[in-house]
């Protein structure tokens, strides 16, 4: 069974530039999550989708971050404009509806110079 | 709201020794609890989960954890450490809100070092 796919794996940009990350969840998973993991810290939830609707985006910095999940499958996370403190690994995860485990992709590592 | 505290950002044990990684949680509802492992430059892999069935949960790679409600703890153990266990370990909690199951809330992680 294919896992959660993310791209690109690595991205280096200058501050104030924009960047987009893509995620393809496991087939049949209704719920999709984006997490931000800063070096040395645990992952922090940015946004949670149920199908193509937003369930929780309370920790998403909406002045610069946006995310969408068209047709309830793939998702993109965009940062515009990027700041130095956005340097992190962006993890996508998916799950069935309910309280079970999340399945994570390998992440997209962003470096902002 | 849920939260997780992992005691000890770094834990060092000798190969063959007992591994004990500590996790305490706070939750306003009966929690679902998880341990994940992360190897360098990789995503998170589920070790084990507690979802209100047996309080002693067995996971992959010889790890197990015991849910103790009275102590609000979910400590991870392994009887005999192996070099391949060196990694970052995260405890996480999941609760419910009006919209259904919440996303996972993670602790800050514990870096496990195995001494030869």
């Amino acid at each position: 069974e294919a896992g959660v796919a993310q791209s690109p794996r690595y991205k280096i940009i200058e501050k104030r530039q924009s960047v987009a990350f893509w995620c393809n969840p496991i087939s049949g998973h209704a719920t999709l999550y984006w997490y931000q993991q800063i070096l040395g810290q645990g992952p922090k939830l940015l946004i949670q989708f149920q199908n193509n609707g937003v369930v929780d985006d309370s920790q998403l910095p909406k002045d610069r971050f946006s995310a969408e999940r068209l047709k309830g499958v793939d998702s993109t996370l965009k940062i515009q404009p990027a700041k130095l403190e956005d340097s992190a690994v962006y993890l996508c995860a998916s799950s069935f509806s309910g309280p079970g485990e999340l399945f994570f992709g390998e992440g997209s590592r962003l470096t902002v110079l | 709201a849920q939260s997780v505290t992992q005691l000890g950002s770094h834990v060092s044990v000798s190969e063959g020794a007992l591994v004990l990684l500590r996790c305490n949680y706070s939750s306003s509802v009966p929690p679902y609890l998880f341990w994940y492992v992360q190897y360098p430059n990789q995503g998170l892999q589920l070790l084990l989960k507690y979802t209100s069935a047996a309080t002693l949960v067995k996971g992959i790679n010889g790890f197990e954890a015991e849910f103790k409600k009275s102590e609000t703890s979910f400590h991870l153990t392994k009887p005999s450490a192996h070099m391949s266990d060196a990694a970052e370990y995260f405890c996480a909690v999941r609760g419910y809100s009006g919209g259904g199951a919440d996303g996972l809330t993670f602790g800050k992680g514990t870096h496990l070092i195995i001494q030869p």
Side-chain angles (χ1 to χ4, degrees):
Chain A
E1 177 181 307
V4 176
Q6 290 189 245
S7 67
R9 287 294 315 276
Y10 304 92
K11 188 75 176 179
I12 301 174
I13 62 174
E14 301 278 338
K15 60 183 178 182
R16 291 187 290 274
Q17 287 185 326
S18 63
V19 63
F21 302 112
W22 173 83
C23 173
N24 179 244
I26 292 173
S27 178
H29 282 188
T31 314
L32 184 147
Y33 315 78
W34 284 101
Y35 281 83
Q36 180 191 57
Q37 185 178 20
I38 294 173
L39 185 65
Q41 299 182 20
K44 182 183 81 171
L45 179 66
L46 292 176
I47 189 166
Q48 176 182 348
F49 291 95
Q50 180 74 18
N51 296 309
N52 61 352
V54 176
V55 173
D56 182 2
D57 63 356
S58 58
Q59 298 192 87
L60 186 73
K62 298 179 185 63
D63 57 334
R64 299 183 299 104
F65 285 65
S66 65
E68 61 182 8
R69 190 183 184 195
L70 300 177
K71 302 180 181 178
V73 182
D74 293 4
S75 177
T76 57
L77 175 70
K78 297 179 181 179
I79 307 173
Q80 181 179 12
K83 292 185 174 181
L84 296 177
E85 58 261 36
D86 298 332
S87 293
V89 175
Y90 291 87
L91 294 163
C92 180
S94 68
S95 72
F96 292 111
S97 300
E101 69 266 34
L102 277 59
F103 295 82
F104 285 83
E106 292 190 316
S108 295
R109 182 180 297 275
L110 173 65
T111 302
V112 182
L113 302 176
Chain B
Q2 292 76 236
S3 66
V4 168
T5 302
Q6 291 184 240
L7 297 176
S9 60
H10 291 78
V11 170
S12 179
V13 302
S14 299
E15 190 174 20
L18 172 71
V19 175
L20 171 60
L21 304 183
R22 299 178 186 275
C23 172
N24 289 90
Y25 70 89
S26 172
S27 177
S28 56
V29 297
Y32 295 93
L33 294 160
F34 305 80
W35 276 98
Y36 280 83
V37 62
Q38 187 175 36
Y39 297 100
N41 297 317
Q42 295 187 23
L44 287 88
Q45 179 184 4
L46 180 71
L47 277 176
L48 48 79
K49 61 182 178 182
Y50 167 76
T51 56
S52 74
T55 57
L56 182 62
V57 180
K58 294 188 184 297
I60 62 171
N61 301 339
F63 284 93
E64 63 181 36
E66 186 172 7
F67 173 70
K68 292 186 176 180
K69 184 178 178 180
S70 61
E71 299 178 6
T72 61
S73 68
F74 191 57
H75 301 333
L76 181 71
T77 61
K78 181 174 180 178
S80 177
H82 191 272
M83 295 299 291
S84 60
D85 295 327
E88 193 80 18
Y89 291 80
F90 293 96
C91 183
V93 62
R94 194 172 192 194
Y96 274 88
S97 61
D102 294 338
L104 290 174
T105 298
F106 286 88
K108 293 184 177 181
T110 297
H111 186 65
L112 178 62
I113 301 163
I114 310 298
Q115 305 281 4

